[in-house]
Structure formats: C-alpha cells, structure tokens
C-alpha cells in the first residue's frame, strides 16, 4: 500500500496493465481495418465513413440509392463456462463476433464494424489478449472492422478467473435488397448450411446433460467426437458472412428470398420469424449431416427429440430460402466459397409453423 494512502491498484484496478493492453488491442484492431475506417487515434469513439467503402463486397461497387444500417448485439452465454473450465480463451471471441454478424447478415446486410465489451474482476493480460485476438479473427472472417471496445476491470464483481463478453455489429444493405421475409412464399426451397457444432446456444442444457447427468468431464475422450468433449464443445461458431454475401451478389440472376440464423430455439423457434402467416416450413429430418456432439448430449441427458430441436441447431447454422429456379446457382456459389449446403425442405401453405417430416 502506498505511504500516501491507498491507490486504485490497491482497490483491484491496475491502470498500467490496462494501458499496456490498450496498446496491444490497437494492433489487433488495425489488422481488421478496411477502407471505411477513419483513423481517430486517441479519440473516444470509432469513426467509419460510408463514402469510403470499396472492395469489401461486390455491392459496394454499385451505387446505393437508399442504404439501410442494420445493428445487432449478442453475447456468448454459458459457453464461457467451458472456456473457464479449460483455461482456453482464444476462440470465444470468434463466437462473440459470429453471433452478431450472422444476425446482421440475415437482413441481407454486410457487417461494417464491430464493438466489444469485456467485463472482468481482474485484467489478466494473457486472457484478455487471447479474447481480443479471437474477436479480431472473427472480424477478419466476416470482413468487418473491429472499431473499438471496452475492457472493464471491476474487482469483486466477477468470480476469480471469470469474465463476460458482449458484442455489437453494424452492417449496411440497400433498402430494395433488404430481406424481411416478405418475398418468402409457398414453393420456395430451403437450403441448410452446416454448423460447426453447438455454436453458442444451449450450453446450459448441454452442461447439465453431460456433466451433471452423464458424469462426463471436459477431458473425457469420446470416440465418436474424435477429440475431447471440452474441445468439441468449444468449437467456435461458424461465420457465414462471406459465402452468403457472394450468393446474395448473384442478385436477380438467382434471387434469395430469406435467411434464418439458427440460434437459441433451433430450427423450430427461429424459422417462423421469417415465414408469412400463410406458410409453413417443411423440414425433412435426416437430409443433412448431424455432428456427433448432438447425439452425445441427447443420450447423456435422455433428452426428447423435440426438445433437442427447440434448443440446439442440430447441425444447421443458417437457412437459405430461395425459389426453385435459384437453387442450383445459389448452392454452387455457397459451396465454391467453403460452405456445405443441404437441400433440407421447402415452404408450403400453412399457418407460420415448422413441420418436421
């Protein structure tokens, strides 16, 4: 303790560590910058110029008559408990970005920039740098800039070694290209894009089923998973932005009528958000490859099939809804850009619900 009285560091907040981290964060942020970022060294807010947009996506080369900004916010949820258990913090930052940019994408918008918030009881340099390294990687994967953020050190507020994350994304779309479900109609085909696993949803149920009921440990080796349980659960959320934007850039040649991000609530709860009230989504079970982790969870917790589909993505992270005439071109474009796309269903007359067949 200082002879002149207590200091902020005595209270648990280390300003010097914060300053050191800020300088490292700057390097990571700059690795994500594109042409729209306006330099603002020392400023209290990030700056972004819509006029400065070039080269991030094909539609930026076209005149935008009525640009619409689309914003989204999300977190990582109790998946963070796995990061704490494993002491592995370099992937949940990717999850953080993914959850927001995928949400922005389903409106047809290209994410422009991202902001993060980290709250923790004590700023451990290695942990904080691992987190922001993951955030920067997520931004690079989605073609958006990490424009700024906040690391809040709050002694006594979080358990030792724990933290929370929140993220905020802003994207842009031409008003005439906005995807709001109004173009979805009976006869449309539903393509499903593979997930990388649980993504960042359903971890409260997964942890209860696996660790409390099933008696597994994070380091349990499960043959079907081909890795440890903890590593399978921490697999980062897939970011669909670049491949889907390529498909959207097909425009009138192969239109897309709607997109659905399959998050908490699964296909069951998320799909109706884009369905007209007079249509149902008919989903054919068994028409896609389901990662083994879902069977492991279901068997460990003796979870009913309908509950699984209401909680988890079950191997499909995003739906792409398009007219039958677009299917071949859209599917080919997605696969050329690294996605695995399955034809998993169709839109039929109905009452705004999901039918599994």
């Amino acid at each position: 303790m200082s002879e002149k009285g207590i200091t902020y560091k005595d209270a648990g907040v280390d300003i010097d560590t914060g300053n050191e981290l800020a300088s490292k964060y700057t390097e990571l942020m700059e690795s994500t910058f594109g042409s729209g970022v306006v330099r603002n060294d020392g400023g209290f807010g990030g700056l972004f110029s819509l006029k400065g947009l070039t080269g991030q996506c094909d539609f930026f080369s076209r005149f935008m008559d009525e640009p619409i900004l689309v914003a989204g916010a999300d977190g990582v949820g109790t998946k963070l408990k796995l990061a704490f258990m494993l002491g592995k913090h370099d992937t949940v930052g990717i999850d953080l970005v993914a959850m927001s940019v995928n949400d922005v994408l389903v409106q047809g918008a290209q994410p422009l920039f991202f902001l993060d918030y980290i709250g923790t009881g004590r700023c451990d340099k290695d942990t904080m740098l691992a987190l922001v390294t993951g955030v920067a990687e997520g931004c690079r994967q989605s073609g958006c800039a990490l424009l700024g953020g906040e690391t809040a050190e709050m002694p006594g507020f979080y358990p030792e070694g724990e933290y929370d994350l929140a993220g905020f994304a802003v994207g842009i779309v031409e008003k005439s290209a906005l995807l709001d479900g109004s173009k979805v109609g009976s006869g449309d085909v539903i393509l499903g894009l593979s997930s990388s696993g649980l993504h960042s949803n359903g971890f409260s149920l997964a942890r209860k089923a696996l660790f409390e009921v099933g008696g597994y440990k994070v380091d349990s080796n499960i043959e079907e998973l081909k890795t440890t349980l903890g590593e399978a659960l921490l697999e980062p959320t897939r970011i669909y932005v670049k491949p889907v934007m390529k498909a959207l850039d097909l425009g009138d040649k192969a239109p897309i009528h709607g997109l659905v991000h399959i998050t908490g609530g699964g296909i069951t709860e998320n799909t109706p958000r884009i369905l007209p009230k007079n249509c149902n989504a008919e989903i054919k079970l068994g028409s896609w490859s389901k990662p083994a982790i879902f069977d492991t969870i279901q068997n460990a917790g003796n979870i009913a099939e309908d509950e699984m589909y209401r909680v988890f993505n079950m191997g499909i992270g995003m739906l792409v809804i398009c007219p039958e005439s677009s299917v071949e071109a859209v599917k080919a474009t997605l696969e050329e850009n690294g996605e695995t796309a399955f034809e998993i269903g169709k839109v039929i007359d109905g009452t705004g619900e999901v039918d599994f067949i």
Side-chain angles (χ1 to χ4, degrees):
M1 187 178 294
S2 167
E3 293 180 359
K4 296 181 180 180
I6 64 171
T7 65
Y8 211 3
K9 188 172 183 178
D10 295 327
V13 179
D14 190 337
I15 294 174
D16 293 333
T17 296
N19 290 337
E20 185 179 344
L21 283 169
S23 129
K24 297 288 186 182
Y25 291 167
T26 299
E27 296 174 20
L28 292 168
M29 289 168 59
E30 289 177 347
S31 74
T32 72
F33 284 0
S35 55
V37 176
V38 177
R39 297 281 177 164
N40 184 31
D41 295 339
F44 285 87
L47 305 181
F48 198 93
S49 168
L50 296 182
K51 284 190 174 181
L53 293 172
T54 56
Q56 283 184 255
C57 191
D58 288 350
F59 71 66
F60 289 139
S61 65
R62 303 195 292 269
F63 179 73
M64 296 190 76
D65 181 58
E66 192 171 356
I68 301 292
L69 294 179
V70 181
D74 213 330
V76 181
T78 61
K79 186 173 187 175
L80 294 180
K81 288 290 188 181
L82 271 296
F84 305 152
M85 293 164 75
L86 288 167
K88 182 174 171 58
H89 310 283
D90 59 344
T91 59
V92 288
I94 300 174
D95 290 298
L96 182 67
V97 177
M99 296 307 291
S100 288
V101 297
N102 285 342
D103 277 354
V104 166
L105 173 65
V106 297
Q107 274 72 224
Q110 165 67 42
L112 298 177
F113 57 83
F114 186 83
L115 303 169
D116 65 3
Y117 170 86
I118 305 170
T120 187
R122 181 179 65 85
C123 281
D124 176 79
K125 285 188 287 187
D126 291 341
T127 300
M128 296 301 109
L129 282 175
L131 290 174
V132 181
T133 296
V135 173
E137 173 59 22
C139 288
R140 287 191 293 270
Q141 287 184 23
S142 55
C144 71
L146 177 54
L147 200 59
E150 166 73 358
T151 300
E153 191 171 26
M154 298 183 286
F157 199 79
Y158 294 90
E160 181 66 27
E162 297 195 2
Y163 51 80
D164 197 12
L165 304 176
F168 314 87
V170 174
I172 191 170
V173 61
E174 172 62 40
K175 186 176 181 180
S176 62
L178 185 68
L179 297 179
D180 57 5
S182 60
K183 296 177 182 178
V184 174
S186 185
D188 282 350
V189 174
I190 302 173
L191 300 177
L193 305 187
S194 287
S195 71
S196 56
L198 272 68
H199 286 181
S200 296
N201 302 108
F203 274 83
S204 295
L205 178 57
R207 289 186 300 112
K208 185 173 185 65
L210 293 166
F211 304 131
E212 292 185 32
V213 180
Y216 288 107
K217 306 295 182 185
V218 290
D219 58 355
S220 295
N221 276 290
I222 299 173
E223 184 178 354
E224 294 80 4
L225 301 181
K226 299 178 182 178
T227 185
T228 66
L229 181 57
E231 288 169 342
L233 291 170
L234 264 190
E235 183 69 30
T237 305
R238 191 161 183 81
I239 293 175
Y240 298 101
V241 174
K242 290 182 179 180
V244 171
M245 289 308 306
K246 287 289 186 183
L248 288 170
D249 280 337
L250 294 171
D252 293 337
K253 292 186 295 183
I256 289 174
H257 287 169
L259 298 168
V260 182
H261 185 198
I262 306 303
T263 58
I267 294 174
T268 307
E269 302 289 342
N270 285 285
T271 310
R273 296 168 67 173
I274 201 170
L275 289 175
K277 292 182 179 179
N278 63 343
C279 289
N280 279 13
E282 185 178 79
I283 305 294
K284 186 178 179 182
L285 295 173
S287 59
W288 68 88
S289 297
K290 183 174 64 174
I293 185 66
F294 295 107
D295 286 336
T296 303
I297 293 167
Q298 185 173 12
N299 293 334
N302 191 28
I303 303 169
E305 192 83 352
D306 61 345
E307 182 72 358
M308 292 292 294
Y309 278 89
R310 286 187 68 240
V311 175
F312 301 108
N313 66 61
M314 300 300 283
I316 295 295
M318 183 160 289
L319 303 183
V320 181
I321 302 174
C322 57
E324 191 170 2
S325 60
S326 296
V327 171
E328 187 175 340
V330 169
K331 191 171 186 287
T333 299
L334 290 166
E335 291 178 344
E336 285 166 7
N337 287 276
E339 290 304 325
T340 302
F342 302 93
E343 190 170 328
I344 69 168
K346 58 186 178 181
V347 179
I348 61 173
D349 294 338
T351 56
E353 299 176 348
V354 176
D355 300 324
F356 291 101
I357 62 170

